[in-house]
Amino acid sequence: MRFSFLSLMRNAMAGQSLWTPQWPQVEPKPFYDAIIVGAGGHGLGAAYYLAKEHGITNVAVLDKGWLGGGNTGRNTTIIRSNYLYDESAGLYDHALKLWESLSQELNYNVMFSQRGVLMLAHTVHDIQVFKRHVYANQRLGIDNEWLTPAEAQAYCPPLNISADARYPVLGAALQRRGGVARHDAVAWGYARAAAERGVDIIQNCAAVSIRRDADGRVAGVDTERGFIGAKKVAVSVAGNTSPLMESAGVRLPLESYPLQALVSEPVKPVMPCVVMSNTVHGYISQSDKGELVIGSGTDQYISYSQRGALHIVEETVAAICELFPTFSRMRMLRNWGGIVDVTPDRSPIVGKTPVPGLYVNCGWGTGGFKATPGSAHVFAHTIARDEPHGLNAPFHLDRFRTGRLIDEAAAAAVAH
Amino acid sequence: MIQVRCPYCDALLPEQEFAYAGQAHIARPEDPSAETDEAWRDYLYIRSNTRGLHKERWRHVHGCGRFFNAIRDTVSDRIQETYRMFETPAGGSADE
């Protein structure tokens, strides 16, 4: 079923009774050309591009829970591409360009809104780092500009730029093409488009381990519902990557941390853009429903608990109230946590593994949502051709042996 | 927030007094210049990232300042025990 003005009209007349399920519930087949583990945006998107661009449709996407119920449905939906290094900027801007036409591509409104991402500088060091980002991005043709405090407040009126703030705003970097999107719609849109092309989406089917044959090649996946054979297996499970890959004998440079977010009660439009601050550590935007969506930090220790400590949220809320005193009386509705897999250089790993037929897309840390379409697109290319796309070639696993890191950790420190 | 027992101060204190310091019992190579690139990768970057009981280091930064070890369940975040550096935990060996 495609959405159109006509289909909306028909359903409006028929009391919304003509809608059909957007993808079928299917039982797993015994064998697939490719299995993608993890039905988040990255996994579903990879299945869609495998079918659409590479003609590989005998594909299953497995998920231990419901579709998009992991980090895809738990993040703060910020999208930007103003990374420092050429490799990162190339990959994230590839994603940003795909975001710009994703609703049309999928015939599904992902509510991509380019309202601008404002990153605040509070110290001399911040100013130097952000200006370096601005100039590096401009050299690559990626929009990013430097604003004075007054210009930042003109762009975002509720921002407190008073000089007697604990960490006064000294300037800001603005990427106007950045913004937010509806996270659930991204998973649903990719799922429907992939299922239309013959991909099986199998929910509530946790992958327990990856099975290899006598030659060491991938043979398939042992799941809660039995063994499923496959020529190729692609792992896209964020925080749970380490245990699953360990079952195939691949040890990774990853650590999994809880990352939290929270939303307020809905209010009338007050935040026109996304604001991020690395120094006081908080990021905030307003959803189309009116809730303030606030991103918090990670806990200090590794964990798979999918919840974080309350004092982390408290520190974030304090930072937000400092930046936006007017929000101090807002009530928060709920907070939650997701498990993010972090690499030593804070750049993802997208590519082949030492095991033939096994591919991994992981290490997106605290900022994978923004990359969804780009990551899915290059991951599908890697799976289909058994070699990386030019854009994800630098993000290979072997960089931790060669030392050729893409050290966004030093460039950004926090808040992806 | 969790509570952590410092084995030197013998006190159960809020997590904010401590700094997590990563996986425990990772030995620096004895002869660094003799190591292969693979061994350096494993030492510097590869981590167990265990789902379950994880041996890890903590440091009592706002107290005695000393490093110690803990065994914590990374699913429940519950700390099973803490023990001093170079001690063997009650729950098993000091290896990974």
Side-chain angles (χ1 to χ4, degrees), chain B residues 35-96:
Chain B
E35 295 296 339
T36 60
D37 288 352
E38 286 76 12
W40 272 110
R41 171 198 61 201
D42 292 354
Y43 167 69
L44 289 172
Y45 302 126
I46 303 290
R47 294 294 176 263
S48 69
N49 201 18
T50 309
R51 187 187 173 103
L53 291 180
H54 183 241
K55 295 198 177 102
E56 58 197 26
R57 293 186 309 168
W58 286 76
R59 186 173 176 225
H60 194 182
V61 278
H62 298 297
C64 64
R66 300 190 75 170
F67 280 94
F68 58 91
N69 296 314
I71 300 177
R72 183 176 54 90
D73 185 337
T74 59
V75 178
S76 66
D77 292 339
R78 196 178 301 269
I79 292 181
Q80 197 177 67
E81 67 173 296
T82 54
Y83 53 102
R84 298 179 182 198
M85 301 307 278
F86 311 112
E87 271 182 1
T88 305
S93 77
D95 299 332
E96 186 203 318

Side-chain angles (χ1 to χ4, degrees), chain A residues 319-330:
Chain A
I320 295 297
C321 289
E322 179 74 21
L323 295 174
F324 302 97
T326 184
F327 296 159
S328 63
R329 282 162 294 162
M330 292 286 289

Side-chain angles (χ1 to χ4, degrees), chain A residues 240 242-243 246 251-256 300-305 307 309-311 344 400-401 405, chain B residues 1-2 15-16 18-20 37-38 41 45-47 49-51 54 58 72 74-77 96:
Chain A
N240 290 297
S242 291
E246 181 108 43
R251 298 185 72 217
L252 293 170
L254 292 177
E255 292 191 292
S256 296
Q300 54 175 336
Y301 45 79
I302 68 164
S303 176
Y304 291 83
S305 63
R307 60 170 189 264
L310 196 60
H311 69 271
F400 298 97
R401 183 185 64 83
L405 304 183
Chain B
M1 187 190 75
I2 57 176
E15 172 196 335
Q16 288 99 316
F18 299 87
Y20 175 74
D37 288 352
E38 286 76 12
R41 171 198 61 201
Y45 302 126
I46 303 290
R47 294 294 176 263
N49 201 18
T50 309
R51 187 187 173 103
H54 183 241
W58 286 76
R72 183 176 54 90
T74 59
V75 178
S76 66
D77 292 339
E96 186 203 318

Side-chain angles (χ1 to χ4, degrees), chain A residues 284-305:
Chain A
I284 183 165
S285 64
Q286 190 172 18
S287 76
D288 292 338
K289 275 194 288 185
E291 306 146 322
L292 296 176
V293 182
I294 298 171
S296 191
T298 57
D299 276 306
Q300 54 175 336
Y301 45 79
I302 68 164
S303 176
Y304 291 83
S305 63

Side-chain angles (χ1 to χ4, degrees), chain A residues 161-180:
Chain A
I161 57 166
S162 120
D164 45 355
R166 174 67 184 84
Y167 294 100
V169 174
L170 303 179
L174 171 65
Q175 186 175 32
R176 293 180 191 269
R177 286 161 66 230
V180 290

